[in-house]
Amino acid sequence: MKLEDVRREYLRGGLKREDLAEDPITQFEAWLKQAIDAEIQDPTAMTVATVNANGQPSQRIVLLKQVNQKGFVFYTNYESRKAKEIEANPLVSLHFPWHMLERQVKICGRAERVSTAESLKYFLSRPEESQLAAWASEQSRPVSSRQVLMQQFNAIKNKFSKGEIPLPDFWGGYRVVPSSIEFWQGGANRLHDRFEYQRQDDNSWEIERLAP
């Protein structure tokens, strides 16, 4: 197989300035709804990119759990690699790859912890097995085998078998407050449509078209 021959045209339609909402969150919510309605797999899946102390970028996929005018929220272990890198450098990037719709959204901004009350509310909404997994997994740390991981899970399950599972003090959410949001729509002949919203000092947004 020749990788240079793997290609396709993007023909689902263009994106015009007049089609865009003046507010990027409104625009994002519209695109997200269309992604959900199209029944694409994991429409809320997004890549989170962080950078360590040596300048080495790292990426992983998480699920978006809330979006509003404040920003984009996901949850994680606060002792994980991503969380440690965020604590050292809160500037992050998010990426939504909606291939089926020939769309991408890229968000750059600053990550900040959500309140404990917000984390607790979401934690209690999770299935019990997911709550137990948050306790059992020492995220990003080496584990010798899956058997050891399951032993930890079963030990936690037994520990909390007779009561409500509490919120771990090492687990919670981050909200990414956006400084820029780019909307990408595939176009024929690689002439894609890209529009970037840039937050201004007065919190208004300026929109400009970018070359593909």
Side-chain angles (χ1 to χ4, degrees):
M1 180 177 62
K2 295 182 178 180
L3 293 182
E4 60 266 29
D5 293 335
V6 178
R7 62 169 58 86
R8 67 183 176 94
E9 280 291 341
Y10 299 96
L11 302 172
R12 293 184 64 91
L15 182 63
K16 299 177 182 178
R17 172 64 181 85
E18 54 264 31
D19 297 330
L20 296 171
E22 293 303 312
D23 180 86
I25 302 300
T26 302
Q27 182 65 39
F28 177 84
E29 289 175 331
W31 271 25
L32 177 59
K33 183 179 186 304
Q34 290 170 15
I36 294 171
D37 291 345
E39 298 183 346
I40 69 173
Q41 191 169 29
D42 297 325
T44 62
M46 60 183 184
T47 300
V48 180
T50 57
V51 178
N52 70 12
N54 296 322
Q56 173 64 57
S58 179
Q59 298 175 311
R60 73 289 289 162
I61 293 175
V62 302
L63 298 179
L64 176 70
K65 289 304 176 182
Q66 185 183 42
V67 58
N68 54 34
Q69 290 296 325
K70 294 180 180 179
F72 301 77
V73 176
F74 67 93
Y75 290 85
T76 189
N77 186 313
Y78 285 143
E79 296 177 0
S80 66
R81 175 177 176 175
K82 76 174 79 63
K84 289 179 179 178
E85 292 182 351
I86 287 172
E87 295 301 325
N89 179 1
L91 298 180
V92 303
S93 179
L94 309 177
H95 179 251
F96 290 85
W98 293 323
H99 301 300
M100 180 178 169
L101 300 178
E102 298 178 356
R103 289 176 173 174
Q104 304 178 60
V105 179
K106 184 184 74 174
I107 297 138
C108 292
R110 177 178 292 271
E112 57 186 32
R113 290 195 186 193
V114 306
S115 68
T116 301
E118 288 179 88
S119 292
L120 177 60
K121 181 180 179 180
Y122 172 68
F123 184 78
L124 294 177
S125 76
R126 303 180 90 201
E128 181 178 298
E129 291 77 10
S130 295
Q131 294 180 18
L132 293 170
W135 276 98
S137 175
E138 296 180 333
Q139 196 173 105
S140 300
R141 297 182 183 180
V143 60
S144 59
S145 67
R146 183 168 184 83
Q147 181 180 3
V148 170
L149 182 62
M150 293 308 300
Q151 288 173 349
Q152 293 173 183
F153 180 85
N154 290 328
I156 290 294
K157 186 175 183 179
N158 290 334
K159 179 178 180 180
F160 296 124
S161 62
K162 297 181 179 180
E164 187 175 88
I165 303 169
L167 172 70
D169 59 6
F170 53 81
W171 192 95
Y174 282 105
R175 175 177 289 105
V176 178
V177 181
S179 57
S180 69
I181 304 179
E182 179 188 327
F183 295 86
W184 183 102
Q185 178 73 61
N189 304 313
R190 298 299 187 264
L191 296 176
H192 313 302
D193 290 304
R194 300 172 58 192
F195 288 92
E196 185 178 61
Y197 292 71
Q198 284 281 351
R199 189 189 293 273
Q200 306 301 297
D201 291 340
D202 62 358
N203 282 326
S204 65
W205 294 92
E206 181 177 289
I207 308 173
E208 61 182 1
R209 176 184 279 271
L210 303 179

